[in-house]
């Protein structure tokens, strides 16, 4: 009954709207997205732009950031209020337009990823595309240098190769850093970082902890020389610090490479070089690196008839190695050697660059590979967490994750240079906050828990946290947590990924992530997802759909076989199943 | 309580029901996270509606405004309106070609009851956008439309 009377009253509205209000000022309610409400006197004949100015006086939102919504429509500045049928006592919703916030920058990152993906899909044989890729790769190199703590003649995914752990957080950090060159520069310029970079012994140590790497070095003195030459490393660092330089370098290389390639014997020469140098490297890095190998984007693949997802399917056929990825253990490589022409493991830019920098830039191979790998949203979840990401710890994690055993880990932890660098990173509250801000999940956690926030911003606490004794204790603690976590079968957890994502219990996960930065990566257990594939591969599925593959079941099958790699899945779907 | 009223045995006729919703939309009643109104004030059948959803926090949609089109055919509210996104969006229950929400994949449309309103649809959609399987999906650039 009440309803009737209300609607009866409302019945006048459309008619009145049609008649249109006069010119006199009326009261309009404005409702903000945070729930607050206020009223403004405005003439219905005035424009929305003028109205926004009025609203700006009453709210803290400047006119250019205001977005007004009335009756489901976004009001345009040049229209009048009247034209939207606004009347006295009606309510307009006010939303603050997307200010350049950290969350939107993360968003942007994903978008970049997406557009890249589509680029790659178009079958990039052209030099243009590879240039572009090179540019991106360059930025990544900069990023990748950092996580490796300057070990990085071989940075990038090379790092994860070197140290054996394909950390999911790593890419996230990379992405963040890539988007924030100034932060990158800052880090690079930290004295501690430079010290470390200039300390060839430490770096050699780190490199030699990877058995595959050592093998290569033993076999090839030239490479060893490059790896051990602090000058080269510094050079790479310089390039990383200056993205323009990097891009320029890559462009030149790409140009030169394409020239060589077009000469009659050039291609074969390239191939020989590739086989001599890059393959063993690749093998070492890919062996320990993440599952995600990029199939679609290698121009050589396009040239030579794609071998498709050979490696991918190899890997997915053997999930235990996929997930655990032997984390720096000296187990022999049982995987077949990657076919360099089969699109596995490498992408254009990295391939080209390799030759110009022979080894120094090898990291790009890995970096590129990883960059192009589409991620499942769940893996993303895992990446986002991690207090490890808080204070410049991810690099440590990255490094430490691959350490074959905890005694070695302890050694690193106790290395004065290490603790020095950690401290300088952690004691910089600005950087700290930046990292915090970039991590949405963390942000929400902190927002809901002011105590924690205070804690994290207290340099004293952080210093304590980084003392070697504390680190050891935490490590032990984490180990026990790990075993706890292992017992819990998770439902919504990430797929392979590793990291610290194997636990269902949110609190426990948080805890573990907090200590994840302290490096028990080597202990992580691969987690077989029992999530329905539709959910697990939701992103990839929708991507495939957009590409015009409508058979969901078929898509799922392809994605399954390729461990969620869209490129590889497309290859499969196109009737070119990886041999 | 104020809407529908079939609980009390009174069946609110279509027009009254829509007028009521129209007023709620104009007055901005509700939690303010969604907004809706009629496309064409002259359409006496009140079929064509526009809705907006303010992107939920802690999702990729945060800071975005999604626009939707709702079409209440003459059998509304016995049957659910057809709903489609105008702004491009990547969600599991939304067709990638047309932006139409597939009723089978979206609970409130699949199990429609006549007490449900367009506001309910919009708020449910907003929840869906923040659901774990949607909130991280890569989204098309803002300002593109189906």
């Amino acid at each position: 009954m009440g309803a009737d009377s209300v609607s009866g009253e409302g019945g006048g509205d459309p008619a009145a709207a049609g008649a249109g209000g006069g010119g006199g000022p009326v009261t309009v309610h404005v409702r903000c997205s945070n729930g607050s409400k206020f009223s403004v006197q405005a003439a219905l004949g005035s424009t929305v732009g003028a109205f926004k100015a009025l609203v700006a006086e009453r709210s803290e939102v400047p006119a250019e950031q205001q977005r007004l919504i009335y009756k489901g429509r976004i009001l345009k500045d040049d229209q009048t209020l009247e034209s939207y049928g606004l009347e006295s006592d009606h309510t307009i919703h006010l939303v603050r337009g997307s200010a350049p916030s950290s969350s939107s920058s993360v968003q942007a990152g994903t978008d970049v990823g997406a557009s890249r993906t589509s680029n790659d899909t178009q079958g990039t044989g052209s030099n243009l595309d590879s240039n572009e890729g090179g540019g991106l790769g360059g930025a990544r190199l900069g990023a990748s240098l950092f996580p490796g703590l300057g070990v990085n003649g071989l940075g990038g995914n090379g790092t994860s190769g070197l140290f054996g752990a394909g950390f999911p957080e790593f890419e996230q950090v990379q992405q963040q850093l890539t988007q924030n060159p100034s932060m990158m520069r800052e880090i690079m310029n930290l004295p501690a970082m430079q010290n470390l970079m200039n300390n060839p012994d430490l770096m050699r140590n780190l490199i030699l902890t990877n058995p595959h790497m050592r093998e290569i070095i033993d076999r090839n003195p030239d490479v060893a020389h490059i790896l051990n030459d602090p000058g080269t490393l510094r050079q790479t660092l310089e390039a990383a610090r200056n993205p323009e330089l990097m891009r320029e370098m890559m462009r030149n290389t790409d140009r030169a490479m394409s020239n060589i390639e077009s000469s009659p014997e050039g291609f074969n020469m390239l191939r020989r070089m590739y086989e001599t140098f890059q393959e063993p490297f690749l093998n070492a890095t890919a062996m320990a690196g993440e599952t995600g190998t990029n199939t679609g984007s290698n121009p050589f693949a396009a040239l030579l008839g794609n071998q498709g997802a050979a490696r991918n399917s190899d890997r997915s056929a053997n999930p235990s190695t996929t997930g655990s990825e032997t984390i720096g253990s000296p187990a022999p490589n049982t995987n077949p050697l990657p076919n360099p022409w089969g699109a596995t493991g490498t992408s254009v830019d990295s391939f080209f660059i390799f030759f110009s920098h022979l080894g120094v830039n090898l990291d790009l191979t890995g970096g590129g590979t990883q960059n192009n790998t589409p991620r499942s949203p769940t893996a993303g979840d895992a990446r986002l967490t991690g207090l490890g990401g808080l204070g410049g710890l991810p690099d440590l994690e990255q490094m430490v994750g691959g350490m074959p055993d905890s005694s070695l880990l302890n050694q690193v932890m106790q290395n004065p240079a290490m603790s020095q660098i950690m401290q300088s990173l952690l004691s910089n509250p600005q950087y700290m906050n930046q990292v915090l801000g970039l991590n949405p999940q963390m942000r929400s956690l902190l927002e809901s828990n002011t105590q924690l926030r205070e804690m994290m911003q207290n340099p004293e606490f952080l210093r304590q946290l980084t003392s070697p004794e504390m680190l050891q204790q935490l490590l032990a603690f984490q180990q026990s947590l790990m075993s706890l976590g292992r017992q819990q079968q998770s439902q919504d957890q990430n797929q392979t990924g590793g990291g610290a994502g194997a636990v269902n219990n949110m609190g426990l996960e948080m805890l573990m992530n907090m200590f994840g930065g302290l490096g028990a990566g080597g202990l992580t257990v691969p987690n077989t997802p029992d999530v329905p594939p539709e959910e697990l591969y939701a992103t990839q599925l929708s991507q495939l759909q957009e590409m015009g593959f409508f058979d969901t079941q078929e898509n799922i099958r392809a994605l399954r076989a390729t461990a969620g790699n869209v490129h590889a899945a497309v290859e499969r779907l196109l009737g070119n199943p990886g041999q | 309580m104020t809407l529908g009223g079939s609980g009390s045995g009174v069946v609110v006729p279509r027009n009254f029901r829509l007028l009521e919703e129209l007023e709620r939309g104009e007055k901005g009643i509700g939690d303010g996270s969604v907004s809706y109104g009629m496309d064409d004030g002259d359409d006496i059948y009140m079929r064509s509606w526009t809705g907006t959803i303010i992107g939920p926090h802690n999702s990729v949609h945060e800071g975005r405004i999604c626009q939707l089109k709702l079409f209440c055919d003459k059998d509304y509210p016995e049957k659910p309106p057809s709903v489609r996104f105008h702004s491009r969006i990547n969600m599991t229950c939304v067709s990638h070609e047309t932006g139409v929400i597939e009723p089978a994949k979206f609970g409130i449309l699949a199990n429609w009851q006549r007490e449900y309103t367009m506001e309910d649809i919009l708020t449910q959609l907003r929840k869906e956008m923040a659901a774990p399987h949607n909130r991280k999906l890569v989204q098309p650039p803002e300002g593109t439309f189906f």
Side-chain angles (χ1 to χ4, degrees):
Chain A
M1 290 293 118
D4 276 7
S5 70
V6 171
S7 46
E9 186 185 306
D13 283 342
V26 295
T27 307
V28 179
H29 306 292
V30 178
R31 189 170 175 158
C32 307
S33 48
N34 61 15
S36 63
K37 229 177 155 176
F38 57 90
S39 303
V40 180
Q41 295 283 326
L44 290 178
S46 63
T47 63
V48 172
F51 182 74
K52 280 185 177 173
L54 283 176
V55 172
E57 290 169 16
R58 298 291 306 274
S59 67
E60 310 87 78
V61 188
E64 59 272 15
Q65 274 188 35
Q66 286 177 18
R67 288 163 93 183
L68 299 178
I69 304 173
Y70 172 65
K71 289 211 282 188
R73 274 181 282 184
I74 300 173
L75 306 188
K76 297 197 177 74
D77 283 355
D78 51 351
Q79 302 282 323
T80 63
L81 297 178
E82 221 170 3
S83 66
Y84 289 103
L86 192 78
E87 284 180 65
S88 178
D89 274 342
H90 282 183
T91 300
I92 292 180
H93 294 274
L94 166 63
V95 182
R96 188 191 276 268
S98 46
S101 71
S102 47
S103 70
S104 70
S105 78
V106 168
Q107 170 63 26
T110 354
D111 281 345
V112 168
S115 61
R116 234 181 111 76
T117 310
S118 57
N119 254 340
D120 292 342
T121 328
Q122 286 155 13
T124 60
S126 81
N127 200 22
L128 249 181
D129 271 9
S130 60
N131 272 339
E132 185 186 61
L136 272 175
R140 301 263 176 181
L141 167 68
S144 61
L145 266 166
F146 162 57
L149 272 180
V151 192
N152 282 329
L154 295 160
N157 190 17
T159 315
S160 49
L162 271 178
F163 303 114
F167 265 90
E169 284 87 354
F170 177 51
E171 202 191 357
Q172 178 73 15
V173 175
Q174 255 193 356
Q175 206 178 51
Q176 287 174 358
L177 284 174
T178 317
Q179 279 154 26
N180 193 344
S182 69
M183 187 153 99
M184 182 70 211
R185 234 182 337 261
E186 227 172 88
I187 293 164
M188 284 302 184
N189 288 331
L190 282 179
M193 178 62 86
Q194 293 188 339
N195 276 345
L196 204 81
M197 288 294 210
N198 294 336
N199 181 350
D201 281 334
L202 179 58
M203 287 198 261
R204 214 190 339 261
N205 253 342
L206 288 169
I207 291 169
L208 291 178
T209 47
N210 181 322
H212 301 293
M213 223 56 219
R214 200 166 44 214
E215 203 178 309
I216 292 169
I217 293 171
D218 287 345
R219 242 188 295 155
N220 197 335
D222 283 344
V223 176
H225 177 70
I226 291 168
L227 290 181
N228 292 335
D229 180 9
T232 319
L233 294 175
R234 233 191 330 267
Q235 214 180 337
T236 321
L237 177 65
E238 281 302 324
R241 223 181 294 173
N242 185 345
E244 271 78 21
L245 183 69
M246 194 68 205
R247 240 192 309 279
E248 193 49 42
M249 221 154 81
M250 303 232 195
R251 215 189 341 269
N252 287 340
T253 322
D254 284 352
R255 186 89 19 95
M257 290 312 291
S258 74
N259 284 345
I260 297 178
E261 198 188 300
S262 58
S263 88
E265 251 304 293
F267 190 75
N268 282 335
M269 194 174 81
L270 285 182
R271 185 210 297 253
R272 271 198 304 280
M273 281 171 74
Y274 182 98
E275 276 162 358
T276 329
F277 285 100
Q278 187 151 5
E279 197 171 319
F281 264 114
L282 253 187
N283 199 25
T285 49
M287 176 63 190
E290 267 198 61
T291 1
T293 36
N294 171 23
T295 2
S297 62
N298 188 340
F300 290 98
L303 283 172
L304 293 172
N306 204 333
Q307 295 281 317
R311 157 164 288 220
N312 268 324
S313 40
D314 282 339
R315 287 178 164 239
S316 52
N318 189 352
S320 61
T321 49
T322 314
S324 56
E325 284 299 272
T326 62
I327 311 285
S329 84
N333 180 357
T334 49
N335 288 340
L337 286 186
N339 176 348
W341 310 111
T344 39
T346 178
S347 62
V348 202
D349 34 339
S350 48
F351 177 73
F352 284 159
I353 285 148
F354 171 76
F355 293 109
S356 65
H357 307 294
L358 266 186
V360 181
N361 278 320
L362 180 68
D363 41 299
L364 283 177
T365 330
T369 311
Q370 225 180 15
N371 297 343
N372 290 332
T373 313
R375 310 239 143 239
S376 84
T378 40
D381 268 332
R383 255 182 287 145
L384 283 175
T385 55
L387 205 55
L390 278 182
L393 280 177
D395 44 347
L396 176 63
E397 171 175 19
Q398 182 62 27
M399 250 164 67
V400 163
M403 298 296 167
D405 58 42
S406 45
S407 68
L408 193 60
L409 172 67
N410 287 341
Q411 265 176 28
V412 176
M413 291 292 186
Q414 279 155 2
N415 184 321
M418 195 58 161
S419 55
Q420 195 189 347
I421 189 173
M422 276 179 62
Q423 272 180 16
S424 67
L425 281 175
L426 289 177
S427 58
N428 182 347
Q430 216 181 346
Y431 170 60
M432 193 73 185
N433 281 339
Q434 253 171 330
V435 178
L436 283 178
L438 280 170
N439 185 333
Q441 204 167 332
M442 197 42 88
R443 207 159 23 130
S444 60
L445 182 79
L446 288 179
E447 264 161 19
S448 62
N449 191 341
T450 44
Q451 215 176 358
L452 181 60
R453 171 173 277 259
E454 270 165 28
M455 217 160 79
M456 292 317 297
Q457 281 170 347
N458 181 350
E460 196 49 48
F461 169 74
L462 291 172
R463 235 190 313 280
Q464 276 177 14
L465 194 72
T466 51
S467 77
E469 297 86 349
M470 185 63 90
L471 287 179
Q472 274 173 352
Q473 280 178 7
L474 288 178
L475 184 66
F477 183 39
Q478 190 184 9
Q479 279 171 0
S480 56
L481 276 180
M482 278 293 184
S483 54
L484 239 175
R486 230 170 288 170
Q487 289 158 11
Q488 298 208 357
Q489 259 322 309
S490 58
Q491 298 210 327
D492 55 346
Q493 271 315 315
N494 57 348
Q495 34 174 359
T496 53
V503 200
N504 193 19
N505 181 316
M506 191 59 189
L508 190 54
E509 188 190 7
M510 270 301 172
L511 259 179
M512 284 191 24
N513 278 320
M514 271 179 79
F515 303 120
L518 305 173
L523 308 164
T524 321
V525 212
N527 185 25
T528 346
D530 42 9
V531 191
E534 289 87 351
E535 210 168 298
L536 186 62
Y537 296 130
T539 330
Q540 289 97 322
L541 276 175
S542 63
Q543 265 176 329
L544 285 175
Q545 290 238 330
E546 273 167 15
M547 293 176 195
F549 299 100
F550 298 115
D551 187 340
T552 315
Q553 287 314 313
E554 195 68 28
N555 290 353
I556 287 176
R557 219 169 302 138
L559 282 170
R560 270 210 173 128
T562 58
N565 183 327
V566 173
H567 300 297
V570 168
E571 289 298 334
R572 262 186 95 87
L573 289 169
L574 289 175
N576 193 5
Q579 283 78 7
Chain B
M1 275 326 231
T2 51
L3 291 180
S6 68
S8 57
V10 181
V11 176
V12 183
R14 178 180 185 278
N15 276 12
F16 287 168
R17 166 66 183 275
L18 284 171
L19 286 170
E20 199 177 333
E21 292 197 42
L22 180 67
E23 194 197 359
R24 282 181 68 90
E26 284 170 343
K27 296 264 161 71
I29 301 167
D31 66 359
S33 61
V34 301
S35 168
Y36 50 96
M38 259 166 66
D39 266 349
D40 172 14
D42 295 334
D43 178 8
I44 57 164
Y45 295 111
M46 298 184 282
R47 283 173 296 200
S48 194
W49 294 65
T50 297
T52 52
I53 300 175
I54 295 165
H57 295 295
N58 297 323
S59 73
V60 293
H61 306 284
E62 184 170 348
R64 289 189 175 209
I65 298 172
C66 297
Q67 290 183 276
L68 299 96
K69 297 283 179 201
L70 300 101
F71 189 82
C72 298
D73 222 329
K74 289 187 178 163
D75 48 11
Y76 181 85
E78 307 300 333
K79 295 274 162 55
S82 63
V83 189
R84 66 180 178 85
F85 271 90
H86 183 48
S87 315
R88 269 199 176 275
I89 192 168
N90 183 6
M91 270 174 83
T92 48
C93 61
V94 176
S95 153
H96 290 286
E97 278 79 46
T98 58
V100 171
I101 293 167
E102 290 158 31
K105 293 183 188 165
F106 186 51
I108 190 171
L109 295 183
N111 307 306
W112 179 258
Q113 296 177 21
R114 81 183 312 279
E115 304 91 83
Y116 293 157
T117 62
M118 286 180 276
E119 184 185 337
D120 293 333
I121 295 177
L122 294 175
T123 46
Q124 274 303 320
L125 266 176
R126 189 167 185 268
K127 280 193 191 131
E128 185 73 13
M129 284 156 76
H133 53 275
N134 279 322
R135 67 193 181 99
K136 292 267 171 58
L137 295 186
V138 177
Q139 295 299 321
E142 202 172 358
T144 52
F145 300 99
F146 282 109

